[in-house]
Amino acid sequence: MALIEIEKNLDHWVKSIMGITSFQDLEKTKAELIGKSGVITSAFRLLKDFSGDEKKSFGERLNNIKSQIETAISLQKKKLEEYEISEKLRNETLDITLPVENSSFGGLHILTQSIRRIRNHYLARGFLVLDGPEVETDFFNFDALNIPEHHPARQSHDTFYLERFNKTLLRTHTSCVQIRTMKERGIPVRMISIGKTYRNDQLDATHSPMFHQIEGLVADRKPITIGHLKSELKKFLAFFFEVEDVAIRFRPSFFPFTEPGMEVDCRYTKKDGKLIITPEGDKWLELGGAGMVHPNVFKNCGIENEAFGFAFGFGLERLVMLKNGITDIRNLFDTDRRWLEYYGQ
Ligand code: DAH
């Protein structure tokens, strides 16, 4: 292209550069004009046909045009960059005044809520709230609780044993924490422990291979009677079910670590299909086990001479299900969001 034509086109080029809206188009135009085989670059090659002043003025005019184009390109590039940044900022700002579409923020599972409630209740009453390991030895899970090897009670526990570790198992109940507590701290002691327990049970509406137990123990050198146990259980159950009073009865039962041992029932009635715990109830509901601490248990914990105590063990899931009208234990371990939202807090 002749110099005259180039000069005529300059305005048009600069204008069109200023109208470019993408980096890609800008690069393309740059190549077409001042790239290796661009119009301006090619024009420079004509310089060699000139000489003297003519060459000088041709060169100057061409350089001037080139620098005007370069300036226009770099200005436009800057403009595009600024635009890009402001677009990014605009798109990425979080408008905290927008209404929330999904108002679900998650919450505490009903079992967690119940564990915390029970913990707080007993902490407020001066009990120790203790934990024990879920992987136990058969000494703490059985022997020390007066369940020696070959005792039939071992069979009924459907224990999960750890294959490569001798005499090691997943605890079948929280009663092991009684042993750990008395071995470590001696008596007098007032404690509860809430935790996971495991049994090789098929999962169905009322069984789960993992469930929680609440274990309680009160032991002293001073006489403790079944009357104390009864009063404690009434207090706990009234608190748990949030009722004024609970009528309970003991049915004789057998636990090797208690003497005597009993099953605890409470009075209830059904109204509109709902279970209501009330002393006026006409039916009995089975809640858990309890008893007076067996002398062998004290002995196994290194406690000699006269000692007295009561203990109880309740299934947490059962209590939670009764209180909340839940009929299938599997719901407690499912991930149905509607269920979790309904019972969550
Ligand atoms: N450990 C028993 C069970 O899992 C429950 C139990 C019964 C605990 C009587 C106690 C007790 O502390 O005294 O079936």
Side-chain angles (χ1 to χ4, degrees), residues 157 172-173 175 178 199 213 215-216 255 257-258 289-291 311-313:
H157 275 221
T172 60
H173 52 182
S175 299
Q178 286 185 33
R199 288 188 200 181
Q213 281 191 344
E215 188 80 17
F255 302 102
F257 37 95
T258 58
F312 57 90

Side-chain angles (χ1 to χ4, degrees), residues 1-18 29 32-34 38-40 43 61-62 64-66 68-70 72:
M1 199 183 278
L3 183 58
I4 289 282
E5 259 179 286
I6 290 178
E7 282 179 326
K8 253 205 260 164
N9 269 322
L10 179 63
D11 265 1
H12 163 71
W13 284 331
V14 169
K15 253 195 209 131
S16 72
I17 287 169
M18 284 173 4
T29 306
E32 279 167 8
L33 294 175
I34 53 175
V39 183
I40 313 294
R61 281 158 69 191
L62 215 46
N64 183 286
I65 290 166
K66 191 185 174 191
Q68 284 192 53
I69 288 172
E70 277 172 345

